[in-house]
Amino acid sequence: MAAYAVMSNHYHIVLRVDAQRAQALSDDEVLMRWTQLFTGPLLVRRYLDPCTRVELGAAELARVQEWAQLYRARLADLSWYMRVLNEGIARLANQEDQVKGRFWEGRFKSQALLDEQALLAAMAYVDLNPIRAGMAKTPEASDYTSVQARLQPQVVEERVQHAIATMQAPSILAAPESVVVRHDAAEVAAAQEAPAASKACATLDTNEAAMAGLTPAPLLPFDATGREDWAIPFAFEDYIDLIETLGRCVHPKKRGFIPEKTPKLLERLGIDTEAFIEHAASLLKAFGSAIGKPAALVELAARRQAKFLRGMKAANRVFESQAA
């Protein structure tokens, strides 16, 4: 994912569908990925279990390969991605409001980004959504956006940890009647064909439990060299400067903008300008699983019970004015 913005009644995402990566996955990798969110047919679960895989015959193995091909196509299918994402949001929202029925007004709308110019325009539009809507004054204060995630990763990390803790809470998973079983139509058909005893032994996962066990995927990195076709082909500091400039411009049809009196972003965040520019092209590579001020990295390492986190040297260099 390159950019996102979650608003009060809708959200925007800019993403890359990597069909080649899905094709390169082995059957086992495809089945493992799919069954992280769906229970999968009994035959697939038996295949993934080393103890029962040896019992499968040639016809059953061939059927598993058919499942793998089907799931491989779905892993690179935008419609399936949106279906799973929207279903999870709808279930959680309905559970929170204690209601039933449709949550989304209609099907999602998608637009193909055919070149770098289109990608840049779409990302800027998405990241500036809260500012244009008058919900935030600065990019780093734009909650639930990719620009905030890049500028204030510790804020997003805290939200992710809170969400995982909430989904793992016993109050959510204790009541059997509240269990949400995620099956697709093909899995339901396979279950109907299975013997009654097999149905009784099936392991059913809840949506909350499945999501809590997954590691959030990182945002696509910036690569000004353009060597990696899967990366965003711009320099990170250039993109942030663009967001600042566009955000300060008054849009004729939007009420929100960054006030002129607000200092520039690097000054506002206390970032050393020369060091930021020097490290910008490799900023994401200089860090490990998290990017932030030295104090934020130390705090995260303590929460994870780790001795250190990669990137402390870069954090001291780039964010030295905040570290002082």
Side-chain angles (χ1 to χ4, degrees):
M1 185 178 297
Y4 67 85
V6 181
M7 307 296 284
S8 59
N9 61 353
H10 68 282
Y11 65 87
H12 300 278
I13 56 175
V14 179
L15 53 82
R16 179 176 186 266
V17 179
D18 196 343
Q20 292 183 347
R21 184 181 178 187
Q23 289 299 322
L25 295 173
S26 67
D27 287 353
D28 285 20
E29 289 174 320
V30 168
L31 296 174
M32 287 294 294
R33 284 171 178 264
W34 190 258
T35 53
Q36 283 183 310
L37 281 179
F38 294 95
T39 58
L42 177 60
L43 190 58
V44 169
R45 298 198 296 273
R46 290 179 60 198
Y47 175 83
L48 293 176
D49 186 344
C51 297
T52 55
R53 179 184 297 194
V54 294
E55 302 173 358
L56 300 181
E60 291 173 314
L61 292 174
R63 181 55 176 155
V64 170
Q65 289 182 335
E66 293 177 7
W67 287 115
Q69 290 299 321
L70 175 64
Y71 296 152
R72 179 178 285 105
R74 290 178 179 176
L75 287 175
D77 189 318
L78 178 60
S79 294
W80 265 94
Y81 175 86
M82 295 301 297
R83 171 180 174 177
V84 174
L85 178 60
N86 284 342
E87 179 189 350
I89 296 173
R91 288 185 183 277
L92 289 174
N94 285 348
Q95 182 182 15
E96 180 179 333
D97 296 336
Q98 296 183 348
V99 297
K100 296 180 179 180
R102 293 176 60 86
F103 177 78
W104 300 100
E105 183 178 6
R107 189 178 184 274
F108 72 93
K109 298 177 182 178
S110 63
Q111 295 173 293
L113 305 177
L114 304 180
D115 48 40
E116 296 178 358
Q117 292 84 348
L119 174 62
L120 181 62
M123 289 181 61
Y125 172 83
V126 169
D127 277 331
L128 284 171
N129 241 236
I131 290 176
R132 293 304 186 198
M135 299 171 60
K137 294 296 184 181
T138 61
E140 70 274 16
S142 301
D143 288 337
Y144 308 106
T145 62
S146 52
V147 69
Q148 184 190 57
R150 297 183 190 277
L151 295 172
Q152 302 277 40
Q154 70 276 10
V155 174
V156 179
E157 175 71 17
E158 291 172 0
R159 287 184 184 141
V160 170
Q161 294 302 324
H162 175 73
I164 291 176
T166 301
M167 288 188 288
Q168 290 176 332
S171 60
I172 294 180
L173 305 180
E177 62 271 17
S178 68
V179 171
V180 178
V181 181
R182 298 177 61 83
H183 290 290
D184 60 34
E187 292 172 9
V188 172
Q192 291 174 345
E193 297 173 359
S198 299
K199 296 179 186 178
C201 297
T203 301
L204 305 181
D205 295 328
T206 65
N207 181 34
E208 291 84 358
M211 292 298 291
L214 299 180
T215 302
L219 290 166
L220 290 177
F222 286 81
D223 177 22
T225 66
R227 296 173 182 172
E228 303 292 346
D229 59 359
W230 48 267
I232 301 171
F234 317 118
F236 180 54
E237 76 276 12
D238 290 342
Y239 178 72
I240 295 302
D241 183 64
L242 173 66
I243 293 297
E244 279 279 321
T245 303
L246 291 178
R248 293 176 184 274
C249 297
V250 179
H251 194 286
K253 297 183 179 180
K254 302 289 184 179
R255 65 179 183 272
F257 60 93
I258 300 175
E260 286 296 332
K261 63 180 180 180
T262 306
K264 287 290 187 179
L265 184 63
L266 295 185
E267 178 184 347
R268 199 158 62 235
L269 296 180
I271 297 176
D272 182 87
T273 305
E274 293 183 2
F276 184 76
I277 294 174
E278 177 185 349
H279 290 276
S282 59
L283 183 64
L284 299 182
K285 296 180 181 179
F287 290 84
S289 59
I291 301 176
K293 298 176 295 182
L297 291 178
V298 170
E299 181 183 353
L300 179 58
R303 292 204 307 268
R304 293 181 175 178
Q305 297 183 344
K307 294 183 178 179
F308 66 95
L309 291 178
R310 186 164 67 89
M312 184 62 70
K313 183 178 180 179
N316 282 315
R317 179 73 178 94
V318 178
F319 307 122
E320 59 183 355
S321 59
Q322 282 242 7

